[in-house]
Amino acid sequence: SQQGEEDPQALSIQEGENATMNCSYKTSINNLQWYRQNSGRGLVHLILIRSNEREKHSGRLRVTLDTSKKSSSLLITASRAADTASYFCATAFPAQGAQKLVFGQGTRLTINP
Amino acid sequence: DGGITQSPKYLFRKEGQNVTLSCEQNLNHDAMYWYRQDPGQGLRLIYYSQIVNDFQKGDIAEGYSVSREKKESFPLTVTSAQKNPTAFYLCASTPRVWGANVLTFGAGSRLTVL
């Protein structure tokens, strides 16, 4: 299976702490994306990291990609209650279009006030 | 504001009935997608369309049908042949299938079979 696997499945932390989520995959990728989903809502794209990039930042988000280990991590710094959501990684493969994006099962993040 | 509108947000169906979920986008995107989401699982692709009057099966197309008569619209019909239709359905789009694969999603439709 090419499916990305996310770890942990659920994470609960206190507001202000950092949250780290991991995504592993099995075959070579073109890029890896992270999405956020609030309960009962659609997914929102957060950040895309290409296979030739190692780290990318967007506001309080930091994404790393280690192609040798076939893994990525999403770090949310200084977490807020509003960050409570599920986070999904999605992998895109070389010479494949968007119809071949493979989503992980998600990490459910809870930020406690 | 540009975006994707899905309706209805909640839908209840009796067994044996077909239901149609609406998806409309005003992003001028060529490609549209339907995904199914079950609790604790990732998204699975049902159908996608690259252009008007053309669509392709995804990984779990059995029991579903679609049409693409207009660029803006990509309705999904859940037929009575779908054995376990209770799920959250998400419509998405990209400017095109190839080269730009960041998905824009609608808010979803939750279908419950009674």
Side-chain angles (χ1 to χ4, degrees):
Chain A
S1 167
Q2 294 179 320
Q3 185 176 16
E5 296 183 358
E6 298 190 55
D7 170 62
Q9 291 188 338
L11 179 62
S12 181
I13 62 173
Q14 294 300 119
E15 193 167 18
E17 294 179 340
N18 295 343
T20 299
M21 290 156 270
N22 303 294
C23 172
S24 61
Y25 56 91
K26 298 182 179 180
T27 64
S28 296
I29 61 171
N30 185 39
N31 67 65
L32 187 144
Q33 304 171 32
W34 286 91
Y35 289 81
R36 164 194 168 126
Q37 183 180 35
N38 284 37
S39 181
R41 305 288 295 175
L43 279 70
V44 175
H45 179 257
L46 294 176
I47 198 164
L48 179 152
I49 187 165
R50 301 186 190 284
S51 59
N52 61 353
E53 297 176 311
R54 291 297 168 259
E55 187 170 313
K56 207 162 183 180
H57 296 255
S58 177
R60 292 184 296 113
L61 305 181
R62 172 179 170 245
V63 169
T64 60
L65 179 65
D66 187 334
T67 53
S68 66
K69 295 182 179 178
K70 292 186 170 58
S71 68
S72 174
S73 67
L74 170 67
L75 168 68
I76 303 174
T77 60
S79 64
R80 305 167 182 170
D83 294 328
T84 294
S86 292
Y87 293 81
F88 293 87
C89 67
T91 43
F93 301 97
Q96 301 286 349
Q99 79 278 17
K100 292 297 185 183
L101 275 173
V102 176
F103 286 84
Q105 296 177 330
T107 293
R108 189 170 64 254
L109 175 65
T110 302
I111 308 299
N112 301 304
Chain B
D1 288 339
I4 297 178
T5 301
Q6 290 188 239
S7 63
K9 188 170 178 60
Y10 299 97
L11 186 59
F12 298 90
R13 187 194 96 173
K14 294 181 180 179
E15 285 193 22
Q17 287 183 334
N18 292 354
V19 293
T20 297
L21 308 180
S22 170
C23 177
E24 302 278 334
Q25 56 101 354
N26 60 4
L27 299 166
N28 200 33
H29 285 178
D30 286 337
M32 298 185 74
Y33 312 81
W34 274 106
Y35 289 91
R36 172 180 171 139
Q37 185 178 31
D38 293 283
Q41 296 190 31
L43 278 64
R44 292 184 290 169
L45 182 65
I46 304 172
Y47 268 98
Y48 70 98
S49 168
Q50 301 186 60
I51 197 168
V52 173
N53 292 324
D54 179 71
F55 48 83
Q56 306 295 329
K57 292 182 179 180
D59 301 319
I60 55 165
E62 185 176 352
Y64 300 98
S65 66
V66 293
S67 63
R68 187 86 186 276
E69 297 177 0
K70 299 186 301 181
K71 184 175 182 177
E72 302 79 17
S73 179
F74 191 40
L76 173 74
T77 297
V78 184
T79 75
S80 57
Q82 169 52 232
K83 296 289 184 263
N84 184 21
T86 294
F88 191 53
Y89 291 89
L90 288 158
C91 180
S93 70
T94 55
R96 53 201 174 279
V97 170
W98 298 96
N101 55 17
V102 171
L103 292 159
T104 299
F105 284 88
S109 293
R110 186 168 299 281
L111 173 62
T112 302
V113 174
L114 303 173

